[in-house]
Amino acid sequence: MKPVFFDYNSTTPTHPEVAKLMAEIASEPLNSSATHFYGRKAQAIINKAKSQILSALNAKNYEIIFTSSATEATNTIFFGGDFTEILFSKIEHASVYNCRPENRKITEIDCDANGVVEAKNLSAKIPQNSAKFLVSIMACNNETGVIQPIEEFAKITHQNLGLFHSDLVQTLGKIPVDLEKLNIDFASISAHKIHGPVGVGALIYRKDLDFKPLILGGKQQNSKRAGSLNIAGIAGFGLAVEIAEKNLQQFQKIAILRDYLEENLLKITGGEENLKIFGKNMPRLANTCFYAVKNLNNQTQLINFDLNHICVSAGASCSSGSVSSSKTLQAMNVASEFLSGSIRISLSNQNNIEEINYFLKIFNEFYNKKTKKL
Amino acid sequence: MTIKLPIYMDYQSTTPIDPRVIDKMVEVMKNDYGNPHSRSHAFGWKAEEIVENARQQIAKLINADEKEIFFTSGATESNNIAIKGVAKFYENLGKKHIITLTTEHKCVINSCRDLEQEGFKITFLPVQKNGLVDLNMLESAITEQTALVSIMAVNNEIGVIQPLAEIGALCRKKGVFFHTDCAQSFGKIPLDVEKMNIDLMSISGHKIYGPKGIGAIYIRRKPRVRIKSMMSGGGQERGIRSGTVPTQLVVGLGLASEIAFNEMAKDYEKIKKFSQKFYDAMQKLTHVYLNGDLEQRYLGNLNFSFAGIEGESMIMAIKDLAVSSGSACTSASLEPSYVLHALGVDDELAHTSIRFGFGRFTTEDEIDYAINLISQKVEKLRAMSPLWEMMQDGIDLKSINWKSH
């Protein structure tokens, strides 16, 4: 049987229209730095992608540089910005959490039991000297899907004369984003989470801000990121953003499937005493469900799901190779009997009710077997 | 036979993807879209298998072990990692000196300049008139403090091939690491990290009919080369380079490498024939000079200076040919090439230099068309040029005291 893919927060298949466009573009020798016909054509493609992305984010006063990933985008600003201190939350993705330039002070911000970063904790930790600082808080958590009040965080940061960065990797194409309104200074985004190609990301920054490049070389991208541009990938990114923005309403409907799933998970297990759904009552991404079963190790759950051709993850895929429990859940102070039992389900419009029912059937059998044993 | 214009002769700047590579990439995009770092399901494992297979295809082409290949976004990033990564790891051991050439690619030069500002000592070795490194000069530049020698294999602007085996042997003897930027040579000429004693190598996808946005770096395991990574995050690529590995780009680079492995001799045979024909035709025009050594050269790159013609008017006259007057990354600026300067080519000739690139998809008809077009235009432009007239009269242009205006 065709595997059931419930891991769309880790990566997504490329949209067929995007793949088609990329294949067309890739067949031509396009280097945007060249002065001849193909060079101009490449430049036009990049400009189009830029405007597709910036207009989707309502980012008139912003510039964009294309990178190889959101990880690179975040590294670029963390290493290249003029800061003496960087503050970020304890629930950040590894690309932020592990990005700790040696000569900058790093400060971590707590979150509450629902996985929401605490504004009061941010206020308390803002440097009181005249240090130049950057605050980085993700807009939507990759594991719980919980939406963070970043507009408020940006405001607190600006009141204290700092700059604000947000990892929008899980946000782009999933909820409306208005950069002008949010008033954030830097944002990292990624193409492969929204049915665009892997290997393309971008750093978006307010036009009046400056930073040093991470990768040095030619004068591409206003000397802010050297290296020949990945023209086909960038075009694919632009189109993927445009399609995702058009389908934003549609995306919210995934919550129907997700809520149905959660409701039944609770039924099967007898309720919240035995199964926790993290951030359930918070504003959340429509496609994400992060649950944990009491005293039921996620490795055994994963093996069982895999044997039944269901693709889920224990948490973020970049750290899922390790068995250790989710950093996000630790930050939320989740009770120990739930800590190692977490499973993340992340859906897309390509999923259907039959797949959810199949998942519930497999879950039910396994749960009953395991609990009888216990 | 009709010819599609403009004719693409800028293979050093980028190459069209081989149709076989596109097909494979589209197939992977459609079916194998898993995140190769997802360890909990079949999509992740399949993607990982694809990535590991590509690693082997690349390793095979340079006689390396697949564990020594790390994926990056391109040769620019690889060069940054090699130079800054080695420098920053070994500085604590008192090794704060790097040697490179004045004719290296901008990303090598600028990485070195950045280190210089941080207090590292950088030696930018000049090259000989033919564009090649002087090995005696290199040997005497190496000191106890030298951590790394970075010398490219094939020069992007003039196509000369540096003596990698000799440089490698010298570096090994002296106990310094040897990094080589192989963006223009990987998949085009035989490279062997063992025979050439190469410790680090930068590799590009889009220069060998593979996709843009992907490259690799070879980092030797025995004796082990350590680097300080430039990007932090999920710790992918064994901590050398964080960020999701792009499966479909990697598969493209892998297949492009495999095709290069199988077809390098065939490709080169054709390129050599075209290159010879083109070179002979240019010689007939007289006062056309090849920049860089004629023998130690990758023949897919011929960089000529046309005396008695103004460079920009030449580019305009032959706009049916997509060519470049220098490397693509610097051609947006109209400064004369720093590479040609390093060879001692004077300003006039540097301004009229044009790089002609031939590759896998170049046809004989295209070569004939190009030769015919250039011959006609050169004659016409020279007929209009006072410079050419003076040259014919035997006036040394350098003796004229130009008035600025």
Side-chain angles (χ1 to χ4, degrees), chain B residues 298-314:
Chain B
Y298 169 65
L299 288 169
N301 176 339
L302 292 178
N303 185 315
F304 288 109
S305 287
F306 295 84
I309 297 174
E310 208 248 318
E312 292 310 303
S313 57
M314 181 69 180

Side-chain angles (χ1 to χ4, degrees), chain B residues 7-12 156-159 271 275 278-279 282 285 288-290 297-306 314-315 318 321-326 352-359 362 367 370-371 373-375 378:
Chain B
I7 294 170
Y8 194 70
M9 298 184 99
D10 199 13
Y11 278 86
Q12 280 66 40
N156 51 317
E157 287 196 36
I158 56 175
I271 285 166
S275 187
F278 194 85
Y279 178 81
M282 292 305 110
L285 297 174
V288 176
Y289 307 103
L290 181 72
R297 159 179 301 277
Y298 169 65
L299 288 169
N301 176 339
L302 292 178
N303 185 315
F304 288 109
S305 287
F306 295 84
M314 181 69 180
I315 291 263
I318 57 168
L321 311 180
V323 291
S324 157
S325 55
T352 68
S353 76
I354 294 177
R355 179 181 70 185
F356 298 92
F358 318 115
T362 306
I367 293 289
I371 289 172
L373 179 75
I374 295 163
S375 307
V378 164

